[in-house]
Amino acid sequence: MDLKKEDLKVGIWGLGNEGFALYSYLSSKILLNNITPFTSNEQTLRIKTIHSTGKIEGTYQFIPTNEIRKILECDLIFITTLTTAYEEVASKIASFSIQNNIDLKQKIFVLFSGKLGGVLVFDKVFKSFGIETNVIETDALFACRKIDVDTVWIRGIKKWNLLISNKDAFKSASDLHLYKVIKMIFDDIQLDVADNFIQRGLTDFGAMAHATICLINLANIDSKRDLLFYIDGITENAVRLIEKVYLEFEEVANRFNTHIVDPIILLDRYYGTSKDNLLVAIKNVPNYKHTKMPNSVNNRMLYEDVLNTLYPLTLISKKIGIDLKVIPSIVNIMSEILLLDLEKEGRTLEKMGINNFFHRR
């Protein structure tokens, strides 16, 4: 694929908060008629324009579709669904492409918040159908929230993030053409190629902080107190726990010949903030000053981070002989509170297709 930005046909599968923010961002960058938003939500299918406010101000023509064929006509397809839906989405795409004789070999699928090993999950599903294609993952780049059915408030845009693909998930090849295409789209964001899927998946402040802060604030969440998550909900004790989680991330990463950026540096790379200490840094991230405490433990922050980052990390750590202390405790407590069947619902080594990898090691 050797296309200019304005020639790319771009699809977005999933039109929640992040999907709306991505649509607004892309609409401000490239030709509107080159973006195909896909959803099965009847209310969203009736929307004719999208409004964005905050970091991106604009009103954009919106022509959504519920036809899989149309989004598979795109060159670049962003997946902005919940990460817990990856297997289902990949199976739908693979099955439809085979039934309708659609060649996916030159397509690029971009997972917008892959968590740990998301690119491996997608790749395994595609290969189970005999499909070879291109999958890249990065983290969600927008701090955003829908404030109406057709309006998204974009509170923040990350200035830096990492990429990894299914072609080089275990040892990166930074000169892959896939990366050049993504960097061309996000030309105002620094996107570096990760060393491997471990570094990409664990370079995620949310995965360090979300479950930790929720655990400390269970009473506040259950009481539905009107608090700010990163302002009222965080204390020195919460910060110490986040730092312990980070150190365990780093311990595992070191075994894979990589490292994870210190959370203070990570927040500064994301948004720009104080580097005095982690508590001050968190409280000074501009868009964090608007994040509300969830009013239920059944929220996306907990489900995705526990099931798709912290849990698979505990499985990987056992395979390589590292005895983690803090992360398995968080996983066990939260899985009991959320009534999760980790083996069934969580991201296992089998779902990522890496059981044999550890046997080889």
Side-chain angles (χ1 to χ4, degrees):
M1 181 188 296
D2 189 17
L3 296 172
K4 296 179 181 178
K5 183 192 298 187
E6 57 268 24
D7 295 329
L8 276 174
K9 293 181 179 179
V10 179
I12 302 174
W13 184 304
L15 296 173
N17 297 322
E18 204 68 26
F20 266 41
L22 178 61
Y23 186 88
S24 300
Y25 175 89
L26 295 176
S27 296
S28 70
K29 295 285 183 181
I30 60 180
L31 297 179
L32 272 173
N33 58 8
N34 279 357
I35 307 174
T36 301
F38 173 88
T39 183
S40 57
N41 183 283
E42 291 297 329
Q43 185 180 52
T44 305
L45 286 168
R46 292 193 292 270
I47 296 173
K48 303 300 181 185
T49 55
I50 277 185
H51 310 282
S52 66
T53 185
K55 293 294 184 180
I56 299 173
E57 295 279 348
T59 297
Y60 307 103
Q61 181 184 15
F62 188 65
I63 307 175
T65 183
N66 59 0
E67 297 180 41
I68 296 178
R69 180 184 297 277
K70 287 186 178 179
I71 194 169
L72 292 187
E73 291 172 353
C74 297
D75 308 300
L76 189 67
I77 301 166
F78 288 91
I79 308 297
T80 60
T81 63
L82 293 173
T83 59
T84 48
Y86 277 3
E87 288 176 286
E88 178 186 353
V89 172
S91 294
K92 283 183 178 179
I93 292 170
S95 178
F96 187 90
S97 68
I98 289 174
Q99 291 170 12
N100 294 275
N101 198 29
I102 298 173
D103 187 2
L104 300 182
K105 193 170 185 179
Q106 298 302 317
K107 307 294 184 184
I108 301 177
F109 294 89
V110 184
L111 309 183
F112 222 57
S113 183
K115 297 302 174 183
L116 179 57
V119 70
L120 301 180
V121 172
F122 243 74
D123 189 55
K124 182 176 186 291
V125 173
F126 280 142
K127 285 180 177 174
S128 72
F129 283 83
I131 294 172
E132 291 289 339
T133 189
N134 308 290
V135 186
I136 291 181
E137 74 172 58
T138 186
D139 198 8
L141 298 177
F142 307 105
C144 56
R145 182 69 54 195
K146 280 187 182 180
I147 55 176
D148 205 340
V149 293
D150 62 353
T151 304
V152 62
W153 174 28
I154 302 174
R155 303 193 310 264
I157 302 175
K158 289 175 182 169
K159 300 183 297 180
W160 176 87
N161 225 291
L162 291 177
L163 305 168
I164 201 66
S165 85
N166 61 329
K167 304 299 184 184
D168 60 344
F170 296 95
K171 186 177 181 181
S172 66
S174 59
D175 59 345
L176 285 179
H177 183 64
L178 304 177
Y179 296 131
K180 296 176 184 177
V181 174
I182 301 304
K183 291 179 181 183
M184 177 177 66
I185 292 289
F186 297 102
D187 56 5
D188 54 353
I189 298 172
Q190 183 178 339
L191 294 175
D192 296 331
V193 179
D195 293 333
N196 49 43
F197 82 95
I198 292 288
Q199 187 185 45
R200 169 46 268 147
L202 298 183
T203 302
D204 180 354
F205 182 75
M208 299 178 202
H210 288 159
T212 304
I213 298 173
C214 284
L215 177 61
I216 288 175
N217 284 275
L218 282 175
N220 289 327
I221 293 171
D222 287 343
S223 301
K224 303 185 186 304
R225 295 190 64 193
D226 185 17
L227 300 173
L228 293 172
F229 189 72
Y230 290 109
I231 305 299
D232 305 312
I234 195 159
T235 63
E236 290 284 359
N237 286 329
V239 166
R240 277 196 288 272
L241 204 52
I242 291 169
E243 289 172 336
K244 290 290 186 182
V245 171
Y246 161 71
L247 290 174
E248 293 190 347
F249 277 22
E250 176 74 347
E251 185 178 4
V252 173
N254 290 166
R255 288 288 188 92
F256 287 85
N257 300 314
T258 188
H259 74 96
I260 308 303
V261 177
D262 183 281
I264 295 179
I265 304 300
L266 183 57
L267 286 177
D268 186 54
R269 288 187 185 180
Y270 279 173
Y271 302 116
T273 187
S274 168
K275 296 180 185 177
D276 292 343
N277 60 65
L278 186 53
L279 181 61
V280 173
I282 293 170
K283 289 180 179 289
N284 279 277
V285 173
N287 49 280
Y288 281 4
K289 296 177 182 179
H290 304 286
T291 304
K292 291 281 192 177
M293 184 76 67
N295 58 18
S296 168
V297 292
N298 295 303
N299 67 78
R300 173 177 179 166
M301 288 192 294
L302 272 180
Y303 272 99
E304 291 199 289
D305 289 317
V306 171
L307 289 173
N308 292 336
T309 296
L310 302 182
Y311 175 59
L313 182 61
T314 64
L315 299 179
I316 290 171
S317 69
K318 289 177 182 177
K319 285 287 187 179
I320 59 178
I322 293 179
D323 184 21
L324 301 181
K325 303 295 185 185
V326 175
I327 294 172
S329 298
I330 294 173
V331 170
N332 290 334
I333 292 170
M334 286 307 184
S335 65
E336 288 296 324
I337 290 170
L338 295 170
L339 303 177
L340 297 175
D341 182 337
L342 292 173
E343 184 66 25
K344 180 180 178 181
E345 301 174 73
R347 186 171 287 173
T348 63
L349 303 182
E350 176 63 28
K351 290 175 183 177
M352 291 187 283
I354 56 175
N355 264 332
N356 291 336
F357 171 76
F358 291 105
H359 292 322
R360 290 197 302 272
R361 284 173 68 90

